[in-house]
């Protein structure tokens, strides 16, 4: 149990469907992240939120739409996805974003267990 | 351009022996490094970190070494246990105000009983 919970753990959706991934962190962190992990590729940063404000969109296609209603919750809304979007989507959080005042320990990011997405 | 490289995709080690996982980086602005462990179908779990002001950090069976001049870090696991079998990722964070953790592609460690 890392304190970061993701639902659903597995999702199969058609290319015309609309679905959402949910992430909740119980660590009192202020920054939340979405990462994508595809086979044999490094973890790819998608979005970053700091105190509910989006601070990074790493050139992610608009068919992925994030939402951060508060510092504890993060959503990834999915619509008209492509089969190549099938991957493990990881949510993460950290006490601070980047070079904060909490020292290096505040920079450590903690991941959820991931949501396996298959687009058919 | 891969700024963080884990050149060994896999490693097999006998139980009880030392496992050494390597990571190289190219950006001299990185000043904080982390190792994560990942089991199949789970998210990465934080293991140990090191800042650039140190050259060694130890936590139980895990020790991370940093060689700044060579832009190289390594994770030592002693003694290795079958439960250590997983994929290990190194990650780096820059000092330039960025919050982008750059991850390597991972090394799959298999500890043989």
């Amino acid at each position: 149990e890392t304190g970061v919970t993701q639902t659903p753990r597995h999702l199969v959706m058609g290319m015309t469907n609309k679905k959402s991934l949910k992430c909740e962190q119980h660590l009192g962190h202020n920054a939340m992240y979405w990462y994508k992990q595809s086979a044999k590729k490094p973890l790819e940063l998608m979005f970053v939120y700091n105190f509910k404000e989006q601070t990074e969109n790493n050139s992610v296609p608009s068919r992925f739409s994030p939402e951060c209603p508060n510092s504890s919750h993060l959503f990834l809304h999915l619509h008209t996805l492509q089969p190549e979007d099938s991957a493990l989507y990881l949510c993460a959080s950290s006490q601070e974003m980047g070079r904060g005042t909490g020292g290096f320990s505040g920079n450590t990011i903690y991941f959820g267990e991931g949501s396996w997405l298959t687009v058919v | 351009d891969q700024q963080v490289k884990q050149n060994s995709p896999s490693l097999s080690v006998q139980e009880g022996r030392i496992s050494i996982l390597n990571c190289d980086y190219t950006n001299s602005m990185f000043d904080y490094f982390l190792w994560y462990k990942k089991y199949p179908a789970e998210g990465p779990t934080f293991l140990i970190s090191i800042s650039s002001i140190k050259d060694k950090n130890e936590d139980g069976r895990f020790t991370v070494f940093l060689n700044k001049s060579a832009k190289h870090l390594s994770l030592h696991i002693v003694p290795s246990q079958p439960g250590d079998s997983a994929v290990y990722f190194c990650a780096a964070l820059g000092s330039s105000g960025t919050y982008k953790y750059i991850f390597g592609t991972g090394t799959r460690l298999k500890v043989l009983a």
Side-chain angles (χ1 to χ4, degrees):
Chain A
E1 176 63 46
T2 65
V4 181
T5 304
Q6 289 186 241
T7 55
R9 293 295 312 281
H10 298 271
L11 178 62
V12 179
M13 60 185 289
M15 290 189 284
T16 57
N17 290 160
K18 284 186 180 181
K19 297 284 183 183
S20 296
L21 306 180
K22 178 183 175 183
C23 177
E24 183 175 0
Q25 59 96 359
H26 309 274
L27 301 168
H29 289 168
N30 297 310
M32 295 189 77
Y33 311 76
W34 278 117
Y35 279 86
K36 174 183 178 182
Q37 185 181 25
S38 305
K40 298 185 180 179
K41 284 188 176 181
L43 285 166
E44 300 173 60
L45 177 66
M46 298 176 73
F47 300 104
V48 182
Y49 278 81
N50 192 41
F51 290 96
K52 304 187 299 178
E53 299 297 321
Q54 186 181 126
T55 54
E56 178 78 15
N57 176 337
N58 201 27
S59 303
V60 181
S62 59
R63 56 186 185 270
F64 295 92
S65 174
E67 179 190 358
C68 188
N70 55 61
S71 292
S72 299
H73 294 85
L74 185 64
F75 295 89
L76 187 62
H77 303 299
L78 316 168
H79 61 100
T80 60
L81 295 192
Q82 304 298 311
E84 58 265 30
D85 295 323
S86 300
L88 177 66
Y89 289 84
L90 291 159
C91 174
S93 70
S94 65
Q95 180 183 334
E96 303 179 54
M97 185 190 75
R99 323 310 301 177
T101 58
F104 286 110
S105 63
N107 300 145
T108 301
I109 57 173
Y110 295 89
F111 288 90
E113 295 193 335
S115 294
W116 283 99
L117 173 66
T118 303
V119 181
V120 296
Chain B
D1 178 31
Q2 193 72 20
Q3 295 187 68
V4 177
K5 300 177 184 178
Q6 292 178 259
N7 292 318
S8 299
S10 63
L11 175 69
S12 291
V13 171
Q14 206 66 36
E15 180 180 7
R17 306 295 288 267
I18 184 171
S19 295
I20 300 176
L21 298 122
N22 294 304
C23 181
D24 297 294
Y25 60 96
T26 58
N27 191 337
S28 58
M29 297 301 288
F30 290 147
D31 66 351
Y32 185 55
F33 305 88
L34 310 93
W35 281 96
Y36 286 84
K37 172 182 179 180
K38 185 180 181 303
Y39 292 118
E42 293 184 11
T45 303
F46 170 70
L47 265 181
I48 192 168
S49 63
I50 189 167
S51 71
S52 59
I53 60 175
K54 295 185 175 182
D55 54 18
K56 176 183 175 182
N57 189 25
E58 191 172 353
D59 184 1
R61 295 186 299 115
F62 302 92
T63 303
V64 56
F65 294 91
L66 176 62
N67 182 333
K68 291 186 289 294
S69 60
K71 295 191 181 67
H72 176 84
L73 66 154
S74 61
L75 175 68
H76 292 210
I77 307 173
V78 182
S80 301
Q81 300 172 355
D84 296 328
S85 298
V87 178
Y88 290 79
F89 293 95
C90 65
L93 183 65
S95 62
S96 60
T98 181
Y99 38 78
K100 289 187 181 181
Y101 299 81
I102 308 298
F103 284 83
T105 51
T107 297
R108 182 177 302 278
L109 173 66
K110 188 171 183 179
V111 180
L112 306 169

